């Protein structure tokens, strides 16, 4: 905005400039061709003092760089062009090949994107902050830069990295357009058929049995059933012994088979969908599974893309296609993709396209695509903007035509999907440990019986014909006089050992697994029916999609959450603005009906020709400034401010003409156009909508121009070039030509990158800057998302120079991103500050409260998002995940060595100890977290951290928050830096991972799972969260607007994030407490029964005879004692839901394993031991001198043990309801009834005892 004239002025551009907006003379295009003197050299935060420090070293740096060039002359010229050095040292030359490539050895390349990283391997070195961007940190970085030897080493490292990057595509993939036979005959690329199911018809039985027999108890009962088939050991009927195991295996197999059948059905439906394929000059339908690489496919509006395709042509004359990528990145906003004009024109002319696409091999990086298109001897570069990926949907475009480059399992969507793992409960895993100890205890009892029997036989070997239990002759009527088959003392002892195992087999309760399944089913029923977890906005109830891990909900220690659509509604609202150093937005009324707003609307009523689909209430004072006939810098700045908001974006306007207004006053009748906006970023949509509300309405966009309605006047702007936002520059700029042929560059970006490229040394500029900075701090403290807006005029020389370099950079096949960043630096300098914006990303209802409750419960919440860093930080502040007293550790590395340095520096600064060097780190973390649980809610977290960290050096820093980007994770997850990241991350209260790809989310979850025993939960709403959801111990899907991929892959699904609070703190606590008690009680119940049999065997001369019938043993676990256990496992509550929500710290009982652990197990076993002794000997001594027979004693012991275990359960019940009484007392009554019935059957041995 260097000219002081209105934007719509049609006069010729004037060379005169306003004194407030004059440009510094340092920006010249002389022989030296220097860039702007204050171009930002990094993404770190810099201020005026920091920049002055840089300027002071100008001459020294320049001399040293020349000296360095002389030392390595072959590399000097190349380094000046390829390395992002300070802007005042960089020459304005055309980009040429890097000479150093021919002189450096080829390093061994390691795959950088195997975790699906959002990586830009051409990133150059830049100084980055480890935490907070203080002036001291930046100054220290500059001093390091002045060190000649260190600088040489850095330059050499960058050069080697560039050489390494250029070898990335040594083995390209060749796609012959419209020639699938030639394409696939040479290379045999993957077909387009997909398979997500686990089993096939042939491998279902062996594979399913293999998975089921991971339960140790199943192996145990299989061995028992096998032993019972041997004649000498047939204690029970051979067929009967197989029934329990076969029943459990069959039920589980049927359930698993049904779930996999649903996957097969989904795959079949997907593979049999049809697409139009070009064959013999016409498009014919063809099933998806038969599509091949090289085929030309036509997609119609609202259809799903069947494979990864390079666009050749669209229904739009300019080759634009709009797609929705919510199945990939979770975003519901439309994104633009382009067909190259060369192919678009050929298709429009009816020419049959034939050519070759040379592209990279299939990889998981959904944000990058590198390829070349060769047609008629001409080669054209292709990028991510030219490819549409499988799973996306075509929107607002009648049709699009593309060529298949990746199909089936080679598509980026399939490479980022993981097979659904078979999740098992953590408590069930612990059960294997207790099962092992019960097996040891069982073997000890069997050894005691076997050894005792051997000794007893040896002592009475001459009396075996007459002594009870071991006599060799039958005395019953059927076999009177016959002899038993006797195998001798050694074999009889061995058989006694095996028979004892069969008799004591219920020591390990196979019925426990069936009971647990029934209890989980009942728990799920009540969770689904919980009206507090019903979302009325989406009409969705809570869903339990997995019945195996209900109790894991009560043991969660880490929650990994997506941001967009999970924490937020993905709806942005423009709240405040700072224009030319003055703040606006305070006059907005809460309900939008204030008198000032009515007057403000009247200002535009007579001029407006467009209206937003969703209206925004503007600020009256700012409207008056824009539309009053006033002159001055403030009004010009406000005009350029809103013009920048309307023009500097990639938003797609969707305009529809509405009928005339129905106002009664005919003078006010006007025909309004209704405009709505779609775009990749909700922020941009909110900014463009805000500009429209103030009279600057974007209503048309093509590849070469945009049209803005400025208060009823049509303003057509030619778009000369666009530099999109990237994580290095952290800003976006557009070069536009006005109707009067003046050219401006409009820029918006993060304050960390914008303030360092503003012009300075003028009092008004400094005043505006300081005022805007103050407003930004205020906005940030309110949790609003901020952007800084600036602009500048371009002279003819600057424009020519920029256009030349921009054309070279945008068509470069190597280092394209580096060169585009360098090109952007040519014009993104000496900017005039216009103002700043503040946007509110509306959180879902109850998110801050839910996160606070989870943190009070001792649960760590990590946010893993594909959004940029500033966005994630803003949301972290909004949802109270980040607080003002937290120390932010920012890791933005572009190489392994840089990431290592950042991690080590942060660990040293904040006294974080390595787990491998000191095992006390886990104890320190546990103490920190447990202490946090015990402090009052009003206590600051900083006081807690000081108790444990930095005591030796007297450090006084608050709780830590780690913020790391996806590029850094590429190196950390692939290299040997995982332990460093684990140590640092687990020492932080909060972790934010930005710009992460789907598989990187899974990698972060896996990092915690593999290196700790803590349980993890992942929650998300989009297909990009599927890998994370499947990797976590518990996966939760949000039934939002982002499709149903996350829900289909999840274990539980719900409508809002806030329901997670109730799910974990209430249902998770209840489920864990119930299942934990259920397992211990089942161990107790069966063990006391087995010990009673054990005492009887010892009393009967170590024989394996039993006083109980087979039916009594079977009914004991199935009928006599099972129903009360199931009812208590479903309905019992130790605390009410109000208490659990009011005191979140009670949740810690779960991850501390207070309801189920080894100590409780052994206490239960000791309790069982003395009770079994009392149970056996009290009836025995009571009826010792009576004539009662052994079967009557057996019936008495059966009734006694049933009463004992049920009364034991009754004493532990904490919530009595009617059904609890019925099940408990009814079980005792059923036991008596069954005993009467069984004793009335003549074929049973205890017939007639009634």
């Amino acid at each position: 905005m260097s000219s002081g004239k209105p934007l719509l002025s049609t006069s010729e551009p004037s060379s005169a400039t306003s004194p407030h907006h004059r440009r510094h003379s340092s920006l010249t295009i002389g022989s030296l061709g220097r860039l702007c003197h204050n171009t930002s050299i990094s993404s770190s935060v810099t201020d005026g003092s920091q920049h002055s420090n840089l300027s002071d070293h100008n001459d020294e740096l320049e001399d040293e760089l020349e000296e360095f060039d002389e030392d390595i002359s072959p590399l000097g010229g190349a380094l000046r062009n390829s390395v992002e050095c300070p802007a005042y040292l960089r020459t304005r030359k055309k980009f040429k090949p890097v000479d150093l490539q021919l002189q450096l050895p080829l390093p061994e390349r390691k795959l950088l994107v195997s975790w699906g990283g959002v990586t830009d391997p051409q990133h150059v070195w830049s100084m980055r902050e480890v935490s907070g961007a203080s002036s001291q940190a930046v100054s220290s970085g500059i001093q390091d830069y002045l060190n000649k030897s260190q600088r040489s080493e850095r330059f050499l490292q960058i050069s080697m990295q560039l050489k390494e990057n250029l070898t990335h595509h040594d083995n390209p993939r060749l796609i012959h357009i419209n020639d699938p036979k030639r394409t696939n005959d040479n290379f045999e690329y993957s077909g387009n058929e997909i398979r997500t199911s686990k089993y096939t018809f042939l491998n279902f039985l062996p594979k399913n049995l293999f998975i089921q027999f991971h339960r140790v108890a199943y192996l145990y009962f299989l061995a028992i059933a096998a032993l019972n088939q041997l004649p000498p050991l047939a204690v029970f009927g051979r067929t009967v012994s197989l029934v329990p195991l076969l029943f459990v295996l069959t039920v589980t197999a049927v359930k698993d088979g049904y779930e996999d059948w649903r996957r097969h059905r989904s795959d079949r439906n997907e593979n049999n969908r049809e697409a139009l394929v070009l064959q013999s000059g016409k498009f014919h339908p063809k099933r998806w599974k038969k599509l091949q690489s090289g085929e030309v496919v036509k997609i119609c509006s609202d259809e799903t893309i069947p494979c990864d395709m390079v666009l050749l042509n669209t229904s739009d004359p300019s080759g634009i296609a709009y797609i929705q990528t919510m199945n990939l990145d979770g975003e519901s906003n439309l994104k633009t993709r382009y067909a190259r004009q060369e192919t678009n024109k050929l298709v429009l002319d009816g020419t049959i396209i034939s050519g070759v696409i040379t592209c990279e091999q299939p990889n998981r990086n959904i944000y990058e695509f590198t390829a070349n298109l060769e047609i008629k001897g001409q080669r054209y570069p292709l990028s991510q903007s030219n490819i549409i990926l499988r799973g996306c949907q075509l929107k607002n475009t009648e049709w699009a035509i593309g060529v298949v480059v990746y199909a089936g399992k080679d598509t980026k969507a399939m490479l980022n999907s993981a097979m659904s793992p078979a999740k098992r409960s953590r408590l069930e895993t612990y059960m294997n440990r207790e099962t092992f100890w019960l097996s040891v205890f069982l073997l000890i009892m069997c050894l005691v019986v076997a050894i005792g029997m051997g000794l007893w036989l040896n002592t009475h070997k001459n009396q075996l014909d007459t002594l009870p239990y071991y006599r060799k002759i039958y005395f019953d009527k059927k076999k009177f006089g016959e002899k038993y088959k006797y195998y001798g003392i050694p074999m009889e002892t061995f058989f006694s050992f095996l028979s004892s195992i069969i008799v004591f087999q219920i020591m390990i309760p196979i019925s426990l697994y069936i009971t647990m399944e029934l209890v989980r089913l009942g728990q799920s029923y009540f969770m689904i029916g919980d009206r507090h977890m019903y979302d009325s906005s989406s009409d969705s109830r809570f869903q339990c999609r997995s019945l195996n891990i209900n109790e894991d909900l009560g043991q969660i220690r880490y929650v990994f959450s997506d941001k967009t659509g999970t924490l937020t509604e993905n709806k942005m609202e423009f709240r405040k603005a700072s224009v030319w150093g003055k703040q606006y937005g305070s006059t907005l009324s809460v309900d939008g009906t204030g008198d000032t707003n009515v007057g403000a609307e009247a200002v535009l009523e007579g001029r407006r020709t467009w209206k937003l689909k969703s209206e925004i209430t503007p600020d009256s004072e700012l409207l008056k400034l824009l539309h009053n006939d006033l002159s001055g810098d403030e009004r010009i700045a406000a005009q350029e401010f809103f013009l920048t908001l309307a023009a500097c974006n990639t938003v797609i306007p969707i305009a529809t003409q509405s009928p005339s207004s129905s106002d009664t006053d005919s003078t006010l009748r006007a025909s309004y156009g209704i405009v709505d906006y779609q775009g990749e970023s909700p922020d941009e949509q909110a900014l463009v909508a805000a500009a429209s509300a103030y009279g600057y309405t974007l209503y048309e966009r093509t590849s070469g121009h945009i049209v803005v309605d400025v208060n009823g006047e049509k303003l057509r702007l030619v778009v000369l070039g666009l530099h999109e936002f990237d994580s290095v520059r952290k800003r976006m700029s557009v070069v536009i030509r006005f109707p009067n042929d003046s050219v401006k560059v409009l820029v918006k970006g993060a304050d960390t990158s914008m303030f360092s490229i503003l012009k300075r040394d003028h009092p008004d500029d400094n005043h505006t800057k300081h005022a805007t900075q103050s407003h930004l701090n205020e906005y940030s403290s309110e949790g609003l998302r901020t952007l800084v807006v600036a602009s500048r005029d371009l002279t003819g020389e600057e424009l020519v120079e920029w256009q030349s370099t921009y054309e070279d950079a945008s068509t470069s096949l190597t280092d394209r991103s580096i060169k585009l960043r360098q090109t952007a630096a040519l014009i993104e300098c000496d900017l005039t500050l216009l103002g700043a914006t503040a946007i509110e990303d509306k959180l879902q209802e109850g998110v801050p409260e839910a996160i606070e409750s989870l943190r009070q419960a001792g649960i760590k919440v990590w946010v893993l998002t594909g959004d940029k860093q500033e966005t994630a930080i803003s949301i972290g502040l909004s949802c109270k995940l980040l607080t003002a007293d937290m120390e932010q550790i920012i890791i933005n590395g572009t190489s392994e060595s840089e990431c290592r340095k950042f991690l080590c520096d942060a660990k040293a600064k904040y006294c974080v100890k390595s787990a491998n060097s000191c095992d006390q780190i886990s104890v320190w973390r546990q103490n920190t977290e447990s202490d946090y649980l015990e402090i009052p809610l009003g206590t600051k977290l900083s006081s807690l951290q000081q108790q444990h960290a930095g005591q030796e050096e007297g450090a006084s820093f608050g709780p830590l928050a780690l913020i790391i980007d996806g590029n850094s994770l590429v190196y950390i997850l692939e290299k040997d830096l995982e332990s460093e990241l684990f140590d640092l991350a687990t020492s932080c209260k909060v972790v934010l991972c930005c710009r992460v790809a789907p598989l990187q989310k899974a990698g972060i979850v896996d990092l915690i799972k593999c290196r700790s025993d803590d349980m993890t939960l992942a929650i998300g709403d989009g297909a990009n969260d599927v890998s994370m959801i499947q990797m976590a111990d518990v996966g939760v899907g949000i039934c939002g607007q982002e499709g149903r991929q996350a829900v289909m892959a999840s274990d539980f699904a719900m409508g809002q994030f806030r329901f997670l609070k109730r799910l974990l703190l209430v249902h998770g606590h209840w489920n864990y407490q119930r299942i934990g008690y259920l397992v211990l009680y089942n161990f107790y119940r069966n063990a006391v029964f087995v010990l009673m049999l054990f005492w009887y065997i010892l009393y009967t001369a170590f024989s394996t005879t039993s006083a109980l019938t087979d039916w009594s043993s079977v009914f004991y676990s199935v009928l006599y004692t099972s129903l009360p256990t199931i009812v208590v496992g479903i309905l019992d509550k130790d605390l009410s839901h109000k208490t659990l929500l009011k005191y979140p710290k009670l949740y810690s009982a779960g991850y501390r394993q207070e309801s189920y652990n080894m100590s409780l197990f052994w206490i239960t076993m000791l309790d069982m031991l003395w009770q079994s002794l009392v149970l056996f000997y009290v009836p025995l001594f009571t009826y010792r001198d009576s004539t009662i027979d052994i079967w009557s004693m057996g019936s008495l012991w059966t009734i006694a043990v049933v009463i004992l275990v049920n009364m034991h359960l009754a004493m532990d019940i904490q919530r009595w309801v009617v059904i609890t009484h019925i099940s408990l007392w009814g079980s005792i009554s059923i036991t008596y009834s069954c005993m009467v019935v069984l004793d009335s059957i003549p074929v049973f041995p205890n017939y007639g005892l009634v």
Side-chain angles (χ1 to χ4, degrees), residues 1042-1165:
E1042 312 298 342
R1044 296 191 49 86
Q1045 285 71 23
V1047 172
M1048 295 299 293
S1050 65
D1051 305 302
F1052 305 95
M1054 53 191 182
Q1056 296 281 332
F1057 178 87
R1058 59 189 170 93
F1059 298 151
L1060 186 65
K1061 172 183 175 181
R1062 185 174 182 87
L1063 177 64
L1064 297 184
L1065 302 189
V1066 178
H1067 291 287
H1069 175 86
W1070 284 343
N1071 293 345
Y1072 170 70
Q1073 183 267 335
R1074 293 163 177 167
I1075 296 292
Y1077 178 79
L1078 173 71
V1079 174
L1080 289 175
Y1081 174 76
N1082 272 267
F1083 285 152
Y1084 156 80
R1085 182 192 66 184
N1086 284 33
V1088 72
F1089 185 81
V1090 169
L1091 260 291
M1092 184 186 67
L1093 297 179
F1094 177 71
W1095 304 132
Y1096 175 77
I1097 289 176
L1098 296 186
Y1099 189 78
T1100 56
F1102 305 99
S1103 66
T1104 54
T1105 58
S1106 175
L1108 279 63
T1109 64
D1110 295 348
W1111 287 105
S1112 296
S1113 300
V1114 172
F1115 285 166
Y1116 175 76
S1117 298
V1118 175
L1119 186 61
Y1120 297 162
T1121 59
S1122 60
L1123 185 59
T1125 309
I1126 296 173
V1127 172
V1128 172
I1130 296 175
L1131 298 178
D1132 195 35
K1133 298 178 181 178
D1134 59 337
L1135 296 168
S1136 69
H1137 68 98
K1138 294 181 180 180
T1139 303
L1140 292 172
L1141 292 175
K1142 185 177 181 180
Y1143 303 101
K1145 301 168 188 175
L1146 295 170
Y1147 180 82
S1148 63
Y1151 58 73
R1152 289 175 179 170
Q1153 300 177 9
E1154 293 183 2
S1155 294
Y1156 185 86
N1157 52 57
M1158 282 295 292
S1159 299
L1160 287 176
F1161 171 75
W1162 289 115
I1163 291 174
T1164 302
M1165 291 299 102

Side-chain angles (χ1 to χ4, degrees), residues 478-730:
K478 294 182 180 180
K479 298 183 179 181
F480 184 82
E482 296 183 14
K483 291 187 176 181
Y484 285 96
K485 191 171 183 180
Y486 183 67
Y487 297 93
I489 294 179
M491 289 304 296
E492 289 290 346
T493 302
F494 178 68
F495 289 151
S496 176
F497 175 80
L498 298 181
S499 299
S500 299
I501 294 178
I502 299 175
V503 172
F504 301 149
Q505 61 175 302
I506 64 170
M507 171 67 81
I508 301 174
I510 192 172
S511 61
L512 173 59
Y513 294 99
I514 301 176
T515 303
M516 290 178 66
E517 294 293 336
L518 294 175
V519 167
R520 288 165 176 163
L521 182 63
Q523 292 173 349
S524 299
Y525 172 80
F526 286 102
M527 286 193 289
I528 294 172
D530 190 343
R531 58 185 178 85
H532 297 288
M533 294 196 295
Y534 169 73
D535 182 30
S536 58
S537 60
S538 61
D539 191 26
S540 59
R541 294 184 177 274
F542 182 81
Q543 301 179 36
C544 288
R545 302 184 56 84
S546 175
L547 299 179
N548 298 328
I549 54 176
N550 288 358
E551 60 272 20
D552 285 349
L553 293 170
Q555 306 171 73
I556 301 300
R557 201 59 192 276
Y558 286 89
V559 170
F560 300 92
S561 174
D562 180 39
K563 182 194 74 67
T564 307
T566 302
L567 298 179
T568 70
E569 295 180 353
N570 207 17
K571 298 177 182 178
M572 311 295 177
E573 291 188 7
F574 185 84
R575 288 300 186 191
K576 297 183 179 181
S578 173
V579 180
W580 203 243
K582 186 176 181 181
Q583 183 173 195
Y584 298 92
S586 58
T587 61
L588 289 175
S589 64
V590 176
D591 57 1
T593 60
D595 295 338
T596 57
N597 294 319
V598 174
E601 287 291 339
V603 177
L604 285 176
E605 190 64 34
R607 306 177 181 178
R608 171 177 288 183
T609 58
W610 292 89
K611 279 191 174 182
L612 288 175
K613 188 175 181 181
S614 56
E615 288 292 339
I616 297 176
T617 305
D619 181 88
S620 59
E621 188 177 354
L622 184 53
L623 272 178
K624 292 177 181 178
L625 173 65
L626 283 169
H627 301 289
N628 287 345
D629 295 330
L630 301 175
S631 61
D633 297 335
E634 186 175 359
R635 181 168 180 263
I636 297 172
Q639 290 177 339
E640 287 201 17
F641 176 85
F642 285 105
L643 183 64
T644 302
L645 297 187
C648 186
N649 55 72
T650 58
V651 166
I652 305 160
I654 303 175
T656 57
Q657 192 69 29
S658 65
S660 297
S661 174
S662 60
D663 289 305
T664 56
D665 189 351
S666 60
T667 60
L668 295 179
R669 291 187 180 181
S671 178
Y672 291 106
I674 306 299
V675 63
D676 194 14
Y677 296 111
Q678 291 285 349
E680 297 187 19
S681 170
D683 301 74
E684 288 190 335
Q685 290 178 248
L687 293 176
V688 176
S692 178
Y694 286 92
Y696 291 75
T697 303
L698 172 68
Y699 69 91
E700 182 179 328
R701 176 186 295 277
T702 68
S703 57
H705 74 273
I706 58 175
V707 182
V708 180
D709 181 279
V710 182
N711 302 323
E713 298 184 34
K714 178 180 178 181
L715 179 61
R716 189 179 189 276
L717 304 174
V718 178
V719 179
L720 301 177
L722 178 70
H723 291 283
E724 295 191 11
F725 182 93
D726 64 62
S727 59
V728 176
R729 290 166 45 248
K730 299 183 180 179

Side-chain angles (χ1 to χ4, degrees), residues 379-411:
R379 179 172 295 181
Y380 308 100
L382 299 174
S383 65
Q384 176 64 23
S385 62
N386 305 119
I387 188 173
I388 51 179
L389 305 181
R390 181 186 180 119
C392 300
Q393 285 186 319
L394 190 67
K395 296 289 185 180
N396 293 351
T397 306
E398 187 177 347
W399 50 263
I401 296 175
V403 58
V404 180
V405 289
Y406 304 124
K409 64 182 181 181
D410 289 340
T411 58

Side-chain angles (χ1 to χ4, degrees), residues 781-981:
S781 65
E782 297 175 8
L784 300 177
R785 302 155 65 92
T786 60
L787 283 176
V788 175
V789 180
S791 69
R792 63 170 292 214
D793 287 340
L794 289 182
T795 64
E797 287 183 327
E798 292 173 331
L799 178 61
V800 171
E801 182 72 11
W802 171 81
Q803 284 180 322
S804 176
T805 54
Y806 182 76
E807 182 179 356
D808 290 341
S810 60
T811 58
S812 175
L813 299 180
T814 58
D815 304 331
R816 184 183 301 177
S817 58
I818 295 177
K819 295 175 183 179
L820 284 173
R821 283 199 296 272
Q822 292 174 337
T823 304
L826 300 178
I827 56 175
E828 293 175 351
C829 57
D830 270 341
L831 301 177
T832 298
L833 178 63
L834 301 177
T837 63
I839 300 175
E840 180 185 8
D841 185 2
K842 291 186 69 65
L843 293 172
Q844 291 183 11
E845 180 185 353
V847 166
E849 295 80 4
I851 290 179
E852 179 61 25
S853 295
L854 294 178
R855 293 178 62 183
Q856 290 182 29
I859 300 173
K860 289 188 175 182
V861 181
W862 292 17
V863 176
L864 314 179
T865 176
D867 285 345
K868 57 186 179 182
Q869 186 169 290
E870 291 77 14
T871 302
I873 294 175
S874 298
I875 291 300
L877 293 170
S878 300
C879 66
K880 304 300 187 291
L881 187 65
L882 293 175
T883 56
D885 60 343
M886 285 186 175
E887 297 282 346
Q888 294 186 9
I889 306 173
I890 300 179
I891 307 293
N892 291 335
T894 57
S895 66
E896 179 185 1
S897 58
E898 196 173 7
C899 292
R900 187 186 301 275
K901 180 179 183 300
F902 288 156
L903 292 172
C904 294
D905 290 349
K907 290 178 63 177
K909 179 178 179 180
Y910 297 104
C911 308
V912 177
K913 298 180 181 179
S914 297
N916 53 5
S917 61
C918 180
D919 294 336
Q920 295 179 352
I921 183 67
S922 58
V923 178
W924 177 84
R925 284 198 301 269
Q926 293 174 3
N927 291 339
T928 301
E929 292 156 353
S930 61
D931 289 349
Y932 173 76
L933 295 173
E934 300 300 327
I935 62 175
L937 298 180
T939 305
K940 286 189 175 182
L941 297 178
S942 56
S943 60
L944 170 66
Q945 188 76 17
Q946 295 173 11
Q947 299 175 12
H948 301 283
Q951 293 179 348
E952 298 179 359
E953 300 180 7
S956 58
F957 48 83
L960 305 180
L962 176 64
I963 302 166
I964 188 169
D965 67 347
N967 288 326
S968 302
L969 291 175
V970 169
Y971 300 98
I972 293 174
L973 295 179
E974 284 297 324
K975 310 294 180 178
D976 56 347
L977 300 178
E978 286 190 350
S979 59
E980 302 293 329
L981 176 63

Side-chain angles (χ1 to χ4, degrees), residues 390-457:
R390 181 186 180 119
C392 300
Q393 285 186 319
L394 190 67
K395 296 289 185 180
N396 293 351
T397 306
E398 187 177 347
W399 50 263
I401 296 175
V403 58
V404 180
V405 289
Y406 304 124
K409 64 182 181 181
D410 289 340
T411 58
K412 294 181 182 291
M414 293 302 297
L415 289 174
N416 273 284
S417 65
M419 292 295 293
S420 179
K423 294 184 179 180
R424 299 177 60 222
S425 164
R426 176 68 60 85
L427 193 145
E428 190 174 318
T429 304
Y430 291 155
M431 281 172 52
N432 288 338
R433 178 189 61 194
E434 275 71 48
T435 300
F436 169 77
W437 287 112
L438 287 176
S439 301
V440 172
F441 192 54
L442 175 65
L443 292 176
I444 292 175
M445 290 193 300
C446 294
L447 284 174
V448 170
V449 172
I451 293 173
M453 180 181 186
L455 296 176
W456 196 92
L457 288 176

